[in-house]
Amino acid sequence: MNIGIIGTGYVGLVTGAVLSEIGHVVTCLDINEEKIDTLKKGQSPIYEPGLDEILVRNIEANRLFFTTSTQEAFAHADIIFIAVGTPQGEDGAADLSYIQQAAKDIAINVDHNVIVVVKSTVPVGTNDIVEEIIHANMTDDFQIHVVSNPEFLREGHAINDTFHGDRIVIGAENAFARDKVESIFKPLNIPIMHTNRRSAEMIKYASNAFLAVKISYINQISNLCYALGADVNAVADGMGMDHRIGRAFLNAGLGYGGSCFPKDTEALAYLARENDVKLSIVESAIYANDEQRHIFAQKVINHFKGKILGKKIAILGLAFKPNTDDMREAPSIMIIKELVARGAVISVYDPVVKKTSFLDDIEVSYATTKEECVSGSDAILLVTEWKEFIEANWTELMTFSNNGVVFDGRNILKF
Ligand code: UDX
């Protein structure tokens, strides 16, 4: 099938790459010319294991194209995916301006019948709005259906998640459009769930918020474990053996970050407030998540009995989680800011994030190796659980520091 994709962020790019890999002809559209030029060369602008190979293979096979031209992207498209960002607005609500613009672009530029699939995470009711915008701006009487198809991929595992997801959710109000969208994904052999558009939109938010609640829950339990001398990893293992609970997403640590959980929990809480519905569990998860970073920073400050001025702190890991270069809502940012505000001298090392604009206004020194980072430090903070850190020889690594004090923000070290 011929597919157009608006937006080459994580979701759009990985979706485009995978759909071309299973035989569709895909044209990805983005307004950023530099990004499109990079992509045309088969280079991914994001760090995502396995993505470059798929890009190169399908560009060479003439199944994957990149363009900044709306006409080119839509010219032969049977289906157009909207995969643009829905960033968090000031009041916590999702900012839908990119979605609205995409809907207008489709209405103005499409010259044939087409199915529009909304992949971006959007508040309940947005697919209806997209359909209204398209119909209000259409220049001719084409048949256009809008279908919701939320994305569940994780950064760092995006390719694998897209090929081997637990489910594909298709929210449609029209059987023809539903079946056509289903047929795109058939080769993936993933269970497909049919529902209406509003429920599909809600499945995405409710899933992400549930996982966020699970993380905040285990983090608060871990704080209690710490106070009472219990081992949160053993507690999580024991809880996880109950199949009704499951072990996944029970890793206690510095809380969730990234481009999805923080934004989606806020957007869901906002939706609830707007509709006079209590969603206190999600509100509490947000609060607990924020608090978790302060608790960690405070533990470090307390270790030095409040006298952290001039102390050299080594930060291992900047990205919000391993296998990504994404710094959005990374716990490292807040922890570093809090320690710098108290006068600490910060040295950082991340296997992939070599420098970040998120720390532009903060004085930190970027080390090129973990050993350099730790050298002469008064405390080592493990912030992101990269494999390089998990597999490091810590006995040796600690000899580079002044005293071998380690704060394991991910409960991962075994000594
Ligand atoms: C998440 C969802 O998993 C995915 O389905 C959705 O499409 C987008 O949001 P992502 O943000 O890429 O994906 O990362 P994920 O691996 O889910 O981790 C999210 C955050 O939770 C990270 O900050 C991670 O460190 C944290 N986390 C995860 C924990 O603190 N403990 C855990 O047990 C699991």
Side-chain angles (χ1 to χ4, degrees):
M1 219 174 301
N2 251 300
I3 293 169
I5 299 190
I6 311 177
T8 57
Y10 262 102
V11 171
L13 188 53
V14 173
T15 303
V18 170
L19 290 182
S20 64
E21 180 81 353
I22 60 172
H24 300 294
V25 177
V26 180
T27 307
C28 298
L29 169 73
D30 204 291
I31 47 169
N32 185 332
E33 282 189 25
E34 206 182 314
K35 205 172 180 188
I36 290 296
D37 285 343
T38 310
L39 284 164
K40 277 180 177 166
K41 290 182 214 142
Q43 293 162 6
S44 166
I46 50 172
Y47 175 83
E48 185 60 45
L51 182 55
D52 280 350
E53 292 88 316
I54 298 186
L55 293 181
V56 171
R57 192 162 47 241
N58 289 286
I59 291 169
E60 280 173 1
N62 277 326
R63 278 195 303 263
L64 183 58
F65 302 91
F66 295 95
T67 181
T68 52
S69 152
T70 317
Q71 284 88 350
E72 206 178 305
F74 299 165
H76 307 290
D78 306 300
I79 299 200
I80 298 173
F81 281 83
I82 300 181
V84 295
T86 50
Q88 191 180 318
E90 266 170 27
D91 51 2
D95 173 357
L96 296 180
S97 51
Y98 300 113
I99 294 274
Q100 288 158 350
Q101 188 56 50
K104 274 187 204 147
D105 288 344
I106 292 170
I108 293 164
N109 292 292
V110 158
D111 60 1
H112 54 278
N113 296 344
V114 77
I115 295 168
V116 175
V117 181
V118 179
K119 245 203 184 306
S120 310
T121 302
V122 290
V124 178
T126 304
N127 276 257
D128 298 353
I129 297 171
V130 168
E131 193 164 83
E132 278 161 30
I133 294 175
I134 293 175
H135 285 136
N137 291 278
M138 247 162 43
T139 48
D140 218 327
D141 202 14
F142 300 117
Q143 203 181 60
I144 303 207
H145 296 293
V146 177
V147 173
S148 166
N149 169 230
E151 183 51 65
F152 299 101
L153 60 80
R154 291 165 302 164
E155 292 179 17
H157 302 267
I159 302 295
N160 188 65
D161 284 355
T162 313
F163 275 114
H164 307 287
D166 290 332
R167 78 301 207 188
I168 288 171
V169 174
I170 299 177
E173 309 298 325
N174 171 284
F176 164 77
R178 179 197 66 201
D179 294 346
K180 192 109 183 192
V181 174
E182 173 164 348
S183 70
I184 307 175
F185 296 114
K186 267 276 153 65
L188 291 173
N189 257 326
I190 294 173
I192 291 182
M193 187 216 173
H194 289 149
T195 183
N196 60 30
R197 290 197 300 222
R198 284 180 177 243
S199 307
E201 292 168 326
M202 186 52 121
I203 286 170
K204 174 62 192 257
Y205 274 121
S207 300
N208 273 1
F210 183 82
L211 293 170
V213 167
K214 209 172 170 188
I215 295 168
S216 279
Y217 179 76
I218 199 66
N219 280 339
Q220 290 202 327
I221 291 292
S222 90
N223 297 338
L224 192 56
C225 284
Y226 183 75
L228 298 175
D231 171 4
V232 70
N233 287 335
V235 172
D237 288 345
M239 287 169 64
M241 287 172 78
D242 185 330
H243 73 275
R244 294 170 303 176
I245 299 174
R247 180 62 177 82
F249 280 73
L250 283 182
N251 295 322
L254 297 171
Y256 56 82
S259 64
C260 293
F261 287 176
K263 155 178 94 65
D264 295 349
T265 44
E266 290 286 357
L268 189 61
Y270 177 88
L271 265 181
R273 285 195 300 274
E274 281 287 281
N275 288 280
D276 281 331
V277 172
K278 264 211 165 71
L279 211 58
S280 51
I281 291 179
V282 175
E283 302 265 11
S284 297
I286 297 169
Y287 172 79
N289 194 56
D290 193 46
E291 203 183 37
Q292 197 65 8
R293 291 114 198 244
H294 292 294
I295 291 172
F296 185 71
Q298 199 52 51
K299 253 186 210 158
V300 179
I301 293 164
N302 289 349
H303 169 78
F304 293 105
K305 304 200 168 44
K307 296 192 179 93
I308 200 165
L309 183 73
K311 294 282 186 258
K312 191 179 170 221
I313 311 290
I315 306 280
L316 294 182
L318 288 173
F320 85 95
K321 65 170 193 175
N323 296 321
T324 178
D325 59 356
D326 200 336
M327 282 296 294
R328 286 174 286 181
E329 302 291 332
S332 60
I333 303 167
M334 225 213 65
I335 292 164
I336 290 171
K337 283 188 176 167
E338 203 151 320
L339 296 176
V340 167
R342 300 289 294 261
V345 178
I346 304 288
S347 159
V348 301
Y349 169 73
D350 186 284
V352 169
V353 183
K354 295 301 172 198
K355 197 167 184 343
T356 171
S357 57
F358 285 88
L359 294 174
D360 270 357
D361 52 341
I362 308 281
E363 200 166 317
V364 295
S365 66
Y366 292 90
T368 50
T369 63
K370 55 184 178 304
E371 289 78 11
E372 183 194 335
C373 178
V374 163
S375 228
S377 62
D378 297 302
I380 306 169
L381 275 50
L382 178 64
V383 174
T384 314
E385 68 277 34
W386 284 96
K387 202 164 168 226
E388 178 179 342
F389 302 146
I390 297 171
E391 291 178 351
N393 180 340
W394 278 84
T395 317
E396 197 185 302
L397 189 60
M398 286 186 307
T399 62
F400 287 84
S401 77
N402 278 344
N403 49 23
V405 175
V406 179
F407 292 84
D408 178 3
R410 298 293 177 173
N411 289 302
I412 210 105
L413 300 177
K414 304 213 176 347
F415 58 80

